C-alpha cells in the first residue's frame, strides 16, 4: 500500500502526506521511521537513569543484570517510570488549571478587564462546593473567593480536595480507606517526584498506589478546576454546529491556526479575528477576511464555546502548515511539535509562541498577559494579516475535506437535553440504560500516535461501540478524529448506531458520539459518571456502572494520567498501545488484574481497536449482569 494511505485514515491528511513525500518534507511518520529500531528497554520500561550510578537496564531475557547498581529490581524501575509519567501528565493538566484560577482571580480583583463572568449560575454552584457563602455577594466578589479557594488547593498540605466530594460517597470512602484521597494537587505531584528519587520507594504496589492518588489530584483537582473555572469565565458550552478538517482553511482569507490547550488567549484571538480595524487591514492586503481555526485541544475549547472551525488533531499540525495557506500558527502549551518551526521556515508561516513555559530558539515570542489579553491577541492577528502578502499562491494546496459536527455536550447539557429545560435530570439516560436501549457508556479519548494509522483506531473503536448500542463520550484528538469521520451529527445515529441507541438519539436529536471537549474536560466525563450514579438504579459507585474508557492512539504523559484517574475512579480502561510497563510481569499483573479487586477497575492493553471495543462491551455486559439488568437489545457482540 502506498505510504500515505498506510499512515492516515483521513483523506485530507493522506493528500498532505503525499504532498510532503513529493516535496521531500519530513513529517512525524518519517522521523518515526528514522528512529527505528526504537530502544527495546525503553519500550518495556526497564531502563533507569535516575542517578549517576546508572543508567541501568534490566536484561529482559534473564541472562544479564537483573538489578540496577543500587539494587533496584525490574518491578521498582518499571513502577517508578510509570509514576513519573503520571506525575508529568498530572502536572501539565494542573498547571493549566492553576493559570485559569489565576486569571479568575485577576478578573475578581478587577485586573483583567477583557474577561468577565459568563456563567454566574455555575459560579454559585462551584462556590457552594467550596463552602463559600453566596447570599448577597456580587459575581466579582464570589469569583475572587472561588479563585482563591481553587488556588489554595494546589498547595494544600492536608485534608481532601474539595471537588473529590463530587464523586459518589462510596468511591470517596474507598479512596480514604486506601489512603489515596488526594490532599493537595501539587503535593501529590511533588511526592511522586520524591518517591522516584534514587533510594526512596521500592515497593511497586506502593509506588503505583501513589500514582493513583496523584492522578486523582489531576482528574478531580487540576483538570476539574480548569474546566469549571473556564466555564465560569468564558461560558459553559451548549450544543453548537461547526465544521472540521483541513478544508476549513480558506484560500482567499488570512488563516490563523491556534494550537495547544489553554483557551484564555485563543478566546481573545477569536474576538480579535472580527475586529473591524484588522478586517479592514486584511482587505487592504487583498484578503477577503480573517479565518481563525483551531488545532488539538485549543481547537476543542473554542469549538465548544463558539463553534470555531477545527483544522485538525495532533498529527495534522504539520499538515496544516504544508497547505501553504497558514499565515500564523499561534501556540500556547502542550502537544506542540518542536518540528513545527523547521517546517514553517520552508513556507511563509510564522509560528508565534505566547507562554513563558514554551519557547523555540529564534522564534517570535509575543507573551500573553491576562491584564492586556485583547491587545496581545490583536497584535498576533495583526502579524498574521501583515504576513498574508508573503503567501506564495502557487504553493497553496488545501484539501477539500470538511465535515459537519455538533459539539458542546457538557455533563449539565446532557442532563438538560435528556430531561428537559425545566426538569434537568439524568433519569431518561438511566432508564434507557436500565431498559437496555443503551447498553452502556464509553469514554474514548486521547491522542494520535504515528505508530498507529492516524485516526483509524479511534474511528474503528467508536463505530464498533455505537453499533452495539454503547453511547460514546469523547474529548481531545480522539473527538476530532471521529468528528472528521462524520460520527458527531444526529444523522450519524441512523447510519452507524445499533437499534436501541438509534431510537434514543432520534427521540432527542442527539449524535451517538458526544463531543465533551478538550483533554482537561475529561473531568466532565467524571462528573457525568457521578451524576448517573446519583440518579439511581445503576449501583452505588462508578465501578458499578456499565461503562468503560479507552485511549486507542495515546502518546502523551497526560493520557497516562487520564487513564489512571479513570481507573482509580472505577472505570475499566483500555490503552491502544502498551504503556511501558510490560518489562515487569508483577507490575503488569497488578495493573491489569489485581487492582480490580482493590479499586473495582483495571487496565487492559490492546492495539486492535475492534478487539478493544469488544473487551469494553464484554465489561459493560458483565456490569449489566451484576446489576441484574435486562440484556441489551444486542445481547451478543
Ligand atoms: Fe541505576 Fe538505581 Fe541509579 Fe536507577 S537509581 S540509575 S537503577 S543506580
Ligand atoms: S491535544 S494530549 S495529543 S489528545 Fe489535548 Fe491531543 Fe493528546 Fe495532546
Amino acid at each position: 500500500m502506498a505510504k500515505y494511505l498506510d499512515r492516515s485514515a483521513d483523506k485530507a491528511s493522506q493528500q498532505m502526506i503525499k504532498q510532503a513525500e513529493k516535496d521531500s518534507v519530513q513529517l512525524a511518520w518519517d522521523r518515526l521511521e528514522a528512529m527505528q529500531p526504537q530502544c527495546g528497554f525503553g519500550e518495556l520500561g526497564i531502563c533507569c537513569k535516575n542517578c549517576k550510578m546508572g543508567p541501568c537496564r534490566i536484561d529482559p531475557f534473564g541472562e544479564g543484570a537483573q538489578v540496577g547498581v543500587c539494587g533496584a529490581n525490574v518491578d521498582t524501575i518499571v513502577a517508578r517510570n510509570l509514576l513519573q509519567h503520571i506525575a508529568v501528565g498530572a502536572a501539565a493538566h494542573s498547571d493549566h488549571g492553576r493559570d485559569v484560577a489565576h486569571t479568575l482571580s485577576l478578573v475578581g480583583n478587577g485586573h483583567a478587564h477583557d474577561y468577565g463572568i459568563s456563567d454566574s449560575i455555575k459560579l454559585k454552584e462551584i462556590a457552594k462546593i467550596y463552602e463559600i457563602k453566596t447570599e448577597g455577594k456580587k459575581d466579582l466578589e464570589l469569583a475572587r473567593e472561588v479563585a482563591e479557594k481553587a488556588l489554595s488547593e494546589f498547595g494544600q498540605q492536608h485534608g481532601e480536595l474539595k471537588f473529590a466530594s463530587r464523586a459518589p460517597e462510596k468511591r470517596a470512602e474507598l479512596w480514604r480507606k486506601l489512603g489515596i484521597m488526594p490532599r493537595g494537587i501539587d503535593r501529590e505531584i511533588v511526592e511522586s517526584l520524591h518517591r522516584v528519587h534514587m533510594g526512596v520507594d521500592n515497593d511497586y504496589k506502593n509506588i503505583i498506589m501513589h500514582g493513583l492518588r496523584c492522578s486523582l489530584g489531576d482528574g478531580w483537582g487540576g483538570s476539574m478546576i480548569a474546566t469549571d473555572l473556564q466555564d465560569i469565565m468564558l461560558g459553559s458550552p451548549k450544543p453548537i454546529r461547526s465544521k472540521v478538517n483541513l478544508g476549513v482553511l480558506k484560500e482567499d482569507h488570512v488563516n490563523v491556526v491556534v494550537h495547544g490547550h489553554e483557551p484564555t488567549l485563543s478566546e481573545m484571538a477569536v474576538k480579535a479575528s472580527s475586529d473591524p480595524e484588522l478586517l479592514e487591514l486584511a482587505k487592504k492586503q487583498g484578503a477577503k477576511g480573517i479565518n481563525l481555526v483551531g488545532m488539538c485541544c485549543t481547537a476543542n475549547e473554542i469549538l465548544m464555546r463558539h463553534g470555531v472551525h477545527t483544522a485538525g488533531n495532533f498529527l495534522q499540525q504539520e499538515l496544516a502548515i504544508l497547505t501553504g495557506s497558514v499565515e500564523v500558527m499561534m501556540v500556547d502549551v502542550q502537544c506542540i511539535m518542536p518540528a513545527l518551526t523547521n517546517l514553517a521556515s520552508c513556507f511563509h508561516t510564522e509560528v508565534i509562541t505566547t507562554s513563558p513555559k514554551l519557547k523555540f530558539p529564534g522564534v517570535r515570542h509575543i507573551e500573553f498577559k491576562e491584564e492586556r489579553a485583547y491587545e496581545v491577541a490583536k497584535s498576533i492577528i495583526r502579524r498574521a494579516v501583515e504576513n498574508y502578502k508573503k503567501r506564495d499562491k502557487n504553493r497553496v494546496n488545501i484539501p477539500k475535506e470538511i465535515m459537519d459536527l455538533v459539539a458542546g455536550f457538557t455533563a449539565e447539557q446532557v442532563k438538560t437535553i435528556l430531561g428537559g429545560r425545566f426538569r434537568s435530570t439524568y433519569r431518561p439516560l438511566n432508564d434507557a440504560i436500565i431498559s437496555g436501549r443503551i447498553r452502556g457508556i464509553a469514554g474514548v479519548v486521547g491522542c494520535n500516535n504515528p505508530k498507529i494509522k492516524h485516526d483509524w483506531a479511534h474511528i474503528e473503536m467508536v463505530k464498533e461501540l455505537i453499533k452495539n448500542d454503547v453511547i460514546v463520550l469523547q474529548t481531545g484528538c480522539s473527538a476530532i478524529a471521529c468528528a472528521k469521520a462524520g460520527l458527531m451529527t444526529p444523522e450519524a445515529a441512523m447510519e452507524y448506531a445499533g437499534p436501541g441507541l438509534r431510537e434514543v438519539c432520534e427521540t432527542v436529536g442527539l449524535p451517538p458520539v458526544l463531543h465533551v471537549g478538550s483533554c482537561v474536560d475529561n473531568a466532565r466525563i467524571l462528573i457525568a459518571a457521578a451524576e448517573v450514579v446519583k440518579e439511581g438504579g445503576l449501583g452505588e459507585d462508578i465501578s458499578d456502572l456499565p461503562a468503560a474508557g479507552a485511549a486507542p492512539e495515546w502518546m502523551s504523559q497526560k493520557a497516562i494520567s487520564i487513564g489512571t484517574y479513570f481507573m482509580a475512579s472505577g472505570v475499566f480502561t483500555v490503552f491502544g498501545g502498551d504503556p511501558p510497563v510490560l518489562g515487569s510481569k508483577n507490575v503488569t499483573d497488578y495493573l491489569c488484574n489485581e487492582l480490580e479487586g482493590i479499586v473495582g477497575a483495571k487496565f487492559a492493553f490492546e492495539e486492535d481497536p475492534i478487539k478493544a471495543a469488544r473487551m469494553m462491551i464484554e465489561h459493560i455486559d458483565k456490569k449489566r449482569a451484576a446489576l441484574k439488568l435486562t440484556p441489551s437489545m444486542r445481547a451478543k457482540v
Side-chain angles (χ1 to χ4, degrees):
M1 194 188 285
K3 248 188 198 172
Y4 67 95
L5 294 175
D6 220 17
R7 289 179 167 184
S8 177
D10 167 46
K11 284 212 162 57
S13 302
Q14 289 171 355
Q15 178 182 330
M16 296 322 298
I17 295 167
K18 199 171 169 190
Q19 174 74 35
E21 264 176 46
K22 213 169 102 206
D23 296 349
S24 306
V25 170
Q26 261 207 350
L27 299 172
W29 293 272
D30 304 296
R31 295 189 292 272
L32 175 64
E33 254 177 39
M35 196 54 67
Q36 300 307 317
Q38 284 180 295
C39 171
F41 297 96
E43 294 262 16
L44 294 171
I46 52 178
C47 51
C48 178
K49 50 184 173 54
N50 287 6
C51 87
K52 190 65 182 114
M53 291 189 284
C56 301
R57 52 192 203 182
I58 305 298
D59 180 1
F61 304 108
E63 285 157 15
Q66 290 305 296
V67 289
V69 177
C70 66
N73 66 15
V74 73
D75 302 333
T76 304
I77 290 175
V78 167
R80 276 196 316 218
N81 288 341
L82 178 68
L83 178 56
Q84 217 155 2
H85 281 315
I86 295 170
V88 171
H93 281 149
S94 300
D95 212 31
H96 170 169
R98 186 199 324 273
D99 282 349
V100 177
H102 173 65
T103 310
L104 185 65
S105 165
L106 291 173
V107 172
N109 286 298
H111 299 314
H113 299 287
D114 296 327
Y115 304 95
I117 302 302
S118 299
D119 189 343
S120 54
I121 297 175
K122 188 150 197 180
L123 173 64
K124 290 193 181 69
E125 280 168 13
I126 299 300
K128 252 189 223 150
I129 296 169
Y130 278 143
E131 294 170 6
I132 297 168
K133 286 212 175 78
T134 56
E135 297 79 39
K137 286 185 186 158
K138 295 229 163 71
D139 277 358
L140 288 187
E141 186 184 357
L142 216 46
R144 217 161 39 230
E145 289 184 46
V146 164
E148 283 317 309
K149 184 65 199 144
L151 284 169
S152 75
E153 294 224 298
F154 288 87
Q156 185 171 290
Q157 301 302 314
H158 308 288
E160 299 179 355
L161 291 182
K162 266 283 169 236
F163 283 179
S165 66
R166 298 160 92 179
E169 188 42 45
K170 199 170 167 195
R171 180 70 16 193
E173 208 32 67
L174 179 68
W175 291 338
R176 283 182 202 113
K177 198 178 110 213
L178 295 172
I180 59 168
M181 172 65 90
R183 297 157 290 189
I185 300 162
D186 291 353
R187 168 159 194 180
E188 307 311 350
I189 295 166
V190 170
E191 189 173 314
S192 301
L193 300 181
H194 180 189
R195 284 177 189 237
V196 302
H197 184 276
M198 187 270 144
V200 187
D201 208 348
N202 287 303
D203 177 347
Y204 70 93
K205 293 185 183 179
N206 203 41
I207 295 170
I208 291 170
M209 287 312 276
H210 187 73
L212 266 57
R213 189 176 211 173
C214 181
S215 73
L216 289 170
D218 171 359
W220 298 87
S223 282
M224 206 170 270
I225 287 174
T227 292
D228 284 334
L229 272 48
Q230 281 169 188
D231 283 356
I232 290 171
M233 258 190 312
L234 312 176
S236 293
K238 293 187 178 67
I240 191 162
R241 284 197 173 266
S242 187
K243 295 193 185 292
V244 61
N245 215 342
L246 290 169
V248 301
L249 292 165
K250 291 184 180 165
E251 224 173 295
D252 49 9
H253 279 59
V254 172
N255 288 311
V256 182
V257 178
V258 295
H259 173 25
H261 281 77
E262 295 185 350
T264 32
L265 177 56
S266 51
E267 186 81 11
M268 292 298 133
V270 172
K271 217 164 129 192
S273 65
S274 54
D275 187 294
E277 185 199 331
L278 294 178
L279 288 172
E280 192 51 43
L281 189 62
K283 288 215 175 93
K284 276 194 195 137
Q285 308 287 324
K288 285 209 172 122
I290 303 168
N291 180 39
L292 183 130
V293 298
M295 179 69 64
C296 283
C297 278
T298 297
N300 289 326
E301 297 281 4
I302 53 179
L303 161 72
M304 292 280 283
R305 295 195 176 85
H306 304 288
V308 171
H309 296 170
T310 297
N313 52 6
F314 179 69
L315 279 176
Q316 287 179 291
Q317 55 187 290
E318 295 181 278
L319 309 183
I321 293 178
L322 258 176
T323 65
S325 70
V326 176
E327 273 59 54
V328 158
M329 184 173 276
M330 175 188 108
V331 303
D332 49 74
V333 287
Q334 300 165 22
C335 306
I336 322 291
M337 285 194 196
L340 286 185
T341 49
N342 205 11
L343 179 62
S345 69
C346 307
F347 292 87
H348 74 301
T349 307
E350 189 169 29
V351 175
I352 298 180
T353 58
T354 58
S355 164
K357 295 169 204 166
L358 185 154
K359 293 188 183 182
F360 288 88
V363 161
R364 185 175 303 280
H365 181 76
I366 303 181
E367 195 146 312
F368 171 55
K369 290 268 181 258
E370 292 85 350
E371 294 87 341
R372 42 184 202 86
Y374 189 66
E375 188 192 323
V376 173
K378 212 170 151 181
S379 71
I380 293 169
I381 305 290
R382 186 188 301 278
R383 282 210 67 82
V385 173
E386 287 167 353
N387 205 14
Y388 181 74
K389 57 182 178 295
K390 293 198 199 138
R391 188 194 284 186
D392 179 349
K393 296 209 166 57
N394 297 320
R395 293 185 74 192
V396 173
N397 176 15
I398 303 173
K400 299 258 176 299
E401 274 71 23
I402 195 162
M403 183 55 78
D404 291 319
L405 80 148
V406 184
F409 294 98
T410 62
E412 296 86 349
Q413 279 303 319
V414 172
K415 207 168 165 182
T416 310
I417 293 163
L418 292 169
R421 182 198 272 261
F422 299 105
R423 212 184 129 255
S424 295
T425 167
Y426 272 88
R427 197 67 253 156
L429 176 65
N430 284 33
D431 287 344
I433 296 172
I434 290 166
S435 71
R437 279 179 299 153
I438 292 181
R439 190 170 188 160
I441 309 172
V444 182
V445 307
C447 325
N448 299 131
N449 184 333
K451 291 179 174 178
I452 300 170
K453 188 175 180 175
H454 171 230
D455 289 350
W456 168 77
H458 294 297
I459 297 166
E460 293 305 309
M461 173 182 282
V462 169
K463 278 187 178 167
E464 183 67 17
L465 289 167
I466 59 176
K467 186 175 97 186
N468 284 284
D469 290 329
V470 176
I471 192 165
V472 178
L473 311 184
Q474 291 209 277
T475 61
C477 291
S478 185
I480 300 173
C482 291
K484 284 186 285 171
L487 301 179
M488 289 190 172
T489 61
E491 299 76 39
M494 298 283 288
E495 196 173 340
Y496 300 104
L501 179 59
R502 192 187 314 144
E503 192 189 312
V504 174
C505 290
E506 276 175 5
T507 312
V508 282
L510 210 60
V513 184
L514 304 181
H515 196 320
V516 177
S518 66
C519 289
V520 290
D521 290 338
N522 283 306
R524 297 192 198 277
I525 298 181
L526 297 179
I527 293 295
E531 292 269 357
V532 169
V533 172
K534 206 158 83 189
E535 190 59 52
L538 290 169
E540 294 171 359
D541 194 355
I542 295 174
S543 56
D544 296 332
L545 296 176
E553 299 181 23
W554 76 279
M555 61 85 199
S556 76
Q557 296 105 317
K558 289 184 296 166
I560 300 189
S561 179
I562 294 165
T564 309
Y565 72 64
F566 268 18
M567 183 256 278
S569 300
V571 182
F572 168 62
T573 301
V574 190
F575 283 94
D578 304 328
V581 297
L582 296 188
S584 161
K585 277 196 185 68
N586 285 335
V587 170
T588 307
D589 186 60
Y590 192 59
L591 294 168
C592 298
N593 291 310
E594 214 178 315
L595 270 173
E596 189 168 33
I598 301 169
V599 295
K602 59 182 181 177
F603 282 163
F605 310 135
E606 176 53 64
E607 264 197 30
D608 180 329
I610 301 289
K611 278 193 197 153
R614 291 189 178 160
M615 288 163 81
M616 294 161 81
I617 297 167
E618 242 169 64
H619 172 82
I620 283 170
D621 285 349
K622 193 176 89 186
K623 292 292 170 182
R624 291 189 66 85
L627 288 165
K628 302 200 174 20
L629 300 180
T630 50
S632 76
M633 289 169 86
R634 283 175 170 263
K636 283 256 168 273
V637 179

